[in-house]
Amino acid sequence: MSVRTYNPSVRVGNWSEDICLEEDTLKDHLEKRERGELLIQKSSRLSETILKPVELSVTSDGLLHFGDVVMVMNEVPRLQLATSFGDMPQTSSALSVNMAESKIHEALNFEGNCSVSASKLLQPCARNAFVISQVKGANIPTGSPLVYNQHFYLRTLPGVGGDVSITGIKLQCIR
């Protein structure tokens, strides 16, 4: 016959220390919640800023202009077949800025070195909308049309986007 020597109301070991630790943990949690430092609050703030919808530029003459807000997309036809067995058809994607993982919950806009990739998010937002801007040293007024073979920068939106330039290197195919 097994006899229970204690029940849940019996205090065992460092019970006073355990109670203090639980109280401190609860106080820390409540303080962080008041200051907006909980991870869920930071994620919500990120959605409100970087994924905030933006308005793209509408052109009346059919040309791109310096200062226009644009999205760079890879539009895929709706009726696309898989190219080989097991392959899934491609989906449309948009050029998007990726924030560094270490800064994703602290920063309120894009800053420093950010990478770019293709995203399936096709609604215009601060992450995938860019401003066409002139390269340094060029004296091109805002609103003038972009012409063939003219150098330009794609920049993230000022404010929420952080006004960061997308730079790259030229790739050459060697056969």
Side-chain angles (χ1 to χ4, degrees):
M1 177 193 270
S2 167
V3 177
R4 224 180 192 172
T5 58
Y6 68 94
N7 62 34
S9 64
V10 173
R11 296 180 176 164
V12 179
N14 295 334
W15 60 269
S16 179
E17 184 179 328
D18 292 342
I19 290 173
C20 288
L21 283 173
E22 286 178 15
E23 289 174 356
D24 287 345
T25 303
L26 182 61
K27 285 179 188 176
D28 287 344
H29 175 79
L30 294 175
E31 287 174 3
K32 284 183 179 182
R33 186 174 73 182
E34 287 176 15
R35 291 191 306 254
E37 294 177 356
L38 295 177
L39 190 59
I40 189 73
Q41 292 170 318
K42 290 178 181 180
S43 297
S44 173
R45 202 169 32 242
L46 180 72
S47 296
E48 291 170 0
T49 56
I50 293 174
L51 300 178
K52 180 180 178 182
V54 297
E55 191 81 21
L56 297 178
S57 299
V58 178
T59 180
S60 58
D61 58 3
L63 301 173
L64 290 174
H65 301 87
F66 286 94
D68 281 356
V69 177
V70 297
M71 265 179 72
V72 180
M73 289 181 57
N74 174 30
E75 189 84 29
V76 175
R78 290 181 185 240
L79 300 173
Q80 184 187 31
L81 300 174
T83 55
S84 64
F85 182 73
D87 284 350
M88 296 299 293
Q90 284 185 325
T91 57
S92 297
S93 57
L95 183 69
S96 300
V97 177
N98 297 327
M99 186 176 283
E101 220 174 298
S102 60
K103 298 178 183 179
I104 200 160
H105 294 294
E106 287 84 28
L108 295 176
N109 57 15
F110 297 108
E111 56 189 29
N113 293 333
C114 298
S115 60
V116 292
S117 66
S119 170
K120 293 181 182 179
L121 178 65
L122 301 179
Q123 288 75 30
C125 63
R127 182 176 175 226
N128 61 14
F130 302 96
V131 178
I132 299 173
S133 62
Q134 63 182 342
V135 295
K136 293 180 182 176
N139 195 10
I140 303 167
T142 301
S144 60
L146 184 67
V147 295
Y148 180 76
N149 210 22
Q150 188 173 24
H151 295 278
F152 64 94
Y153 282 139
L154 286 178
R155 299 181 73 86
T156 58
L157 300 175
V160 174
D163 201 27
V164 177
S165 292
I166 295 178
T167 58
I169 57 172
K170 291 184 178 181
L171 299 177
Q172 294 179 341
C173 295
I174 301 173
R175 295 182 193 232

